[in-house]
């Protein structure tokens, strides 16, 4: 339901009672479609169980099940110090300190606190991939929803908002409204001048022609609505995204019932972390949505506990936050959201035995740390600017001075730590993306050197048509639906 339909300016529904009825029917229909997709996502992943019974498949899943049994029978304290003499024979393996235990803890929690005696631990472990496959499908849909819900104004209105200017009363954006769509072109230096001088007048001209010819702008200019949560294209985008995620091979192959492996829960943790992060960026510069940064930090902790791919998550969010700053979209909301996410997530991540202090030592994780430290300096400068009511020139003097002093101190500390061997090398997983692995003939060594760059054929095989849809979607969003999320 387009939010423009709620207005008198060309909308088809003007009566509030009919609007409530229409929105209710639309909401119920959307929820039913979402439930159907999630049910199908679960049912598809039950194929192996229906045909072969509740059996753990493959080597790694069976090892994970054995570790889960040990945790269930002996508790966390013994599990954390467990040295298994039967694996990697005759060497053995200190299991408790060398695996990501999130999946095992999840299985035991479900067994003890949710299903109890109604289901065996084996059955719980068999079903977890299907359960979490559906959960990842839901989170992916919520990500698409969050990136799509908002209001589309004409370019000059968007520019006015970015400058802090007020729109006419009838065009005002409610304080609880998700966000105002714009174009990435208006955030790029030099390019934004071209955008304002040439593109904006052309769009305005075409809009006026459309209104004269069609008698309406066909909802292209969405105005604020009390029912923005059900606005188009957000709900439809979420439903289509869920439908694609439910059947895409790349996800399905790691979430088939019986395949009790780390990725089966980690993808749900990954998508959940991303959703909480972009949800924390909803609204204006002073929006209270930054509180979702706390949930993002907790979700990231679960991601760390579940899978070594957490490095990808922290770096992607760090790059996103850094780009928002470079695009001139820094705000107190962004500062609070990222700071809460990083502090909570990283602090909890260090409690995972296999991770330890790696987030503060590993070179591939120092980027997000630098973004965090940079945000503290920026907010410090902004606090001084607000309190002293500094002009643009004086504010820049403060920023340059603060960053210069911090840079000198930081460089000195980094040099001392480097001399003491504090920083660790880039992990083998990251190096494997750039250095091709040479077969050693040792099955154990070669099996853990599996992290190599994917081929074009692999993308086509595991992502299908999403390979072509995703780039087009990115371009569309960047040019017409660009905002913090």
């Amino acid at each position: 339901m387009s939010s423009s339909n709620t207005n008198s300016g060309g909308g088809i529904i003007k009566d509030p009672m009919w609007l409530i009825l229409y929105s209710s029917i639309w909401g119920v229909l959307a929820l039913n479609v979402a439930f159907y997709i999630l049910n199908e996502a679960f049912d598809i992943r039950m194929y192996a169980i229906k045909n072969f019974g509740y059996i753990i498949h493959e080597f790694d899943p069976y090892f994970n099940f054995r570790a889960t049994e040990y945790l269930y029978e002996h508790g966390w304290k013994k599990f954390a110090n467990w040295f298994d003499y039967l694996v990697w024979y005759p060497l053995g393996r200190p299991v408790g300190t060398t695996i990501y235990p999130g999946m095992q803890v999840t299985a035991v929690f479900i067994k003890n606190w949710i299903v109890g005696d109604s289901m065996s631990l084996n059955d719980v472990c068999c079903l977890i991939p299907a359960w979490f496959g559906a959960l990842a499908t839901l989170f992916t849909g919520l990500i698409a929803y969050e990136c799509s819900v908002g209001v589309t104004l004409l370019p000059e209105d968007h520019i006015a908002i970015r400058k802090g200017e007020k729109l006419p009363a009838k065009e005002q954006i409610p304080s609880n409204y998700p966000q105002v769509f714009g174009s990435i072109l208006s955030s790029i230096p030099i390019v934004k001048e071209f955008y304002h001088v040439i593109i904006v007048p052309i769009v305005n001209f075409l809009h006026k022609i459309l209104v004269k010819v069609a008698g309406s702008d066909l909802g292209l200019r969405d105005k604020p609505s009390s029912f923005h949560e059900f606005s188009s294209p957000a709900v439809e985008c979420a439903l289509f995204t869920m439908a694609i995620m439910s059947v895409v091979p790349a996800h399905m192959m790691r979430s088939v019932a019986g395949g009790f492996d780390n990725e089966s829960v980690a993808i749900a943790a990954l998508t959940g972390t991303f959703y909480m992060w972009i949800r924390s960026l909803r609204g204006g510069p002073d929006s209270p949505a930054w509180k979702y940064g706390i949930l993002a930090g907790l979700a990231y902790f679960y991601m760390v506990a579940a899978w070594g791919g957490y490095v990808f998550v922290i770096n992607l969010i760090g790059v996103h936050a850094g780009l928002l700053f470079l695009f001139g979209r820094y705000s107190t909301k962004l500062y609070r959201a990222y700071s809460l996410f990083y502090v909570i997530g990283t602090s909890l991540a260090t409690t995972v035995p296999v991770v330890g202090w790696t987030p503060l030592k590993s070179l591939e994780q120092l980027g997000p740390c630098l973004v965090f430290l940079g945000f503290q300096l920026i907010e410090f400068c902004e606090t001084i600017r607000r309190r002293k009511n500094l002009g643009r020139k004086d504010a820049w003097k403060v920023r340059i001075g603060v960053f210069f002093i911090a840079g000198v101190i930081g460089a000195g500390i980094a040099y001392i730590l480097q001399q003491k061997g504090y920083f660790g090398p880039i992990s083998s997983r990251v190096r494997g993306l750039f250095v091709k692995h040479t077969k050693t003939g040792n099955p154990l060594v070669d099996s853990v050197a599996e992290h190599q760059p994917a081929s074009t054929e692999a993308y086509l095989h595991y992502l299908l048509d999403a390979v072509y849809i995703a780039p087009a979607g990115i371009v569309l969003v960047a040019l017409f639906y660009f905002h913090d999320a």
Side-chain angles (χ1 to χ4, degrees):
M1 183 189 73
S2 176
S3 54
S4 61
N5 290 341
T6 67
N7 297 276
S8 58
I12 60 173
I13 300 178
K14 303 177 182 179
D15 189 287
M17 293 303 297
W18 280 106
L19 176 60
I20 294 174
L21 178 61
Y22 180 81
S23 298
S24 300
I25 295 174
W26 171 238
V28 171
L29 177 62
L31 290 175
N32 272 275
V33 173
F35 177 79
Y36 173 80
I37 293 172
L38 293 176
N39 184 67
E40 288 298 307
F42 173 78
D43 190 62
I44 292 171
R45 287 161 174 76
M46 290 294 290
Y47 176 84
I49 298 295
K50 293 178 180 178
N51 285 273
F52 307 107
Y54 286 83
I55 301 174
I56 300 291
H57 304 285
E58 302 180 21
F59 297 106
D60 285 352
Y62 193 81
F63 165 78
N64 291 327
F65 172 64
R66 186 165 172 272
T68 305
E69 280 187 314
Y70 191 92
L71 175 62
Y72 178 68
E73 294 171 0
H74 298 89
W76 172 257
K77 188 174 182 179
K78 288 188 176 181
F79 176 81
N81 296 285
W82 176 34
F83 189 93
D84 190 356
Y85 293 94
L86 300 181
V87 298
W88 291 5
Y89 185 82
L91 300 177
R93 176 183 178 183
V95 177
T97 57
T98 59
I99 69 168
Y100 293 90
M103 182 173 58
Q104 285 79 11
V105 173
T106 300
V108 172
F109 176 84
I110 294 175
K111 168 63 178 172
N112 287 337
W113 298 98
I114 299 180
V115 300
D117 296 332
S118 64
M119 188 178 295
S120 68
L121 183 63
N122 176 83
D123 293 355
V124 170
C125 293
C126 285
L127 291 173
I128 276 181
W131 288 336
F132 278 76
L135 183 60
T137 298
L138 174 62
F139 276 130
T140 307
L142 290 174
I143 291 173
Y145 171 83
E146 196 61 36
C147 292
S148 306
V149 66
V151 59
T152 304
L153 300 177
L154 288 179
E156 73 271 16
D157 292 331
H158 176 73
I159 294 170
I161 292 176
R162 294 296 298 166
K163 290 181 178 179
E165 300 173 3
K166 290 187 176 181
L167 298 176
K170 65 178 181 179
E171 305 292 348
Q172 285 297 304
I173 307 299
S175 59
N176 65 333
Y177 210 86
Q179 52 252 324
V180 177
F181 293 137
S183 173
I184 194 173
L185 299 179
S186 64
S187 301
I188 302 176
I190 300 177
V191 175
K192 66 181 180 181
E193 302 302 326
F194 174 81
Y195 174 75
H196 294 161
V197 175
I198 299 179
I199 296 181
V200 169
I202 292 176
V203 172
N204 291 342
F205 177 72
L206 294 176
H207 180 266
K208 292 178 181 179
I209 293 178
L210 177 62
V211 172
K212 288 184 179 181
V213 174
S216 170
D217 62 3
L218 304 180
L220 292 177
R221 188 187 188 190
D222 295 338
K223 298 182 176 63
S225 164
S226 300
F227 296 91
H228 58 260
E229 302 292 352
F230 292 108
S231 64
S232 292
V235 175
E236 295 92 326
C237 286
L239 295 178
F240 274 97
T241 301
M242 288 171 61
I244 294 172
M245 185 65 172
S246 67
V247 297
V248 68
H251 179 221
M252 191 182 300
M253 67 182 292
R254 309 309 300 174
S255 56
V256 175
F260 187 57
D261 211 349
N262 295 77
E263 294 90 343
S264 61
V265 299
I267 299 303
L270 179 148
T271 52
T273 303
F274 286 154
Y275 169 68
M276 294 302 174
W277 165 246
I278 63 174
R279 179 62 180 84
S280 70
L281 301 178
R282 177 188 285 198
D286 301 317
S287 168
W290 55 264
K291 297 175 183 178
Y292 279 86
I294 299 174
L295 297 179
L298 296 175
Y300 172 68
F301 164 61
Y302 182 66
M303 174 68 199
V304 174
W307 192 31
Y310 73 91
V311 176
F312 165 77
V313 176
I314 186 69
N315 276 281
L316 192 59
I317 291 179
V319 168
H320 183 209
L323 286 177
L324 287 177
F325 169 73
L326 294 178
F327 284 152
R329 304 183 74 89
Y330 178 83
S331 63
T332 301
K333 172 193 66 177
L334 174 62
Y335 164 74
R336 291 174 177 174
Y338 188 78
S339 296
L340 285 170
F341 159 75
Y342 186 82
V343 170
I344 294 174
T346 303
S347 299
L348 293 175
T350 59
T351 65
V352 180
V354 70
V355 176
W357 293 100
T358 303
L360 300 177
K361 291 184 175 181
S362 177
L363 290 180
E364 64 254 29
Q365 297 185 57
L366 291 182
C369 180
L370 292 178
V371 173
F372 169 74
L373 295 176
F375 274 15
Q376 308 314 305
L377 297 178
I378 294 169
E379 189 63 21
F380 175 72
C381 295
E382 288 299 298
T383 301
I384 294 178
R385 180 186 63 81
R386 288 191 292 264
R387 287 181 177 179
K388 296 186 176 182
N389 196 25
L390 299 178
R392 181 182 180 88
K393 185 177 181 180
D394 292 332
W396 270 106
K397 289 181 179 179
V398 171
R399 292 167 188 158
I400 293 174
V402 168
F403 272 86
F404 177 77
I405 295 173
V408 172
I409 296 175
I413 294 175
Y415 177 77
I416 295 173
L417 293 177
Q418 176 64 26
Q419 294 301 310
K420 293 181 177 293
Y422 174 82
F423 299 111
I426 296 177
S427 67
S428 58
R429 289 188 175 189
V430 175
R431 289 199 305 270
L433 296 175
F434 305 98
V435 181
K436 189 174 182 180
H437 172 67
T438 302
K439 294 289 184 179
T440 64
N442 185 323
L444 182 59
V445 174
D446 292 337
S447 68
V448 296
E450 60 185 5
H451 302 279
Q452 296 292 311
S455 64
T456 303
E457 292 75 16
Y459 281 108
L460 295 173
H461 181 71
Y462 293 117
L463 296 178
L464 302 180
D465 291 338
V467 170
Y468 307 105
I469 297 174
I474 291 175
V475 172
L476 181 66
V477 168
L479 293 181
F480 302 104
Y481 298 96
F482 182 72
H483 53 77
D484 288 353

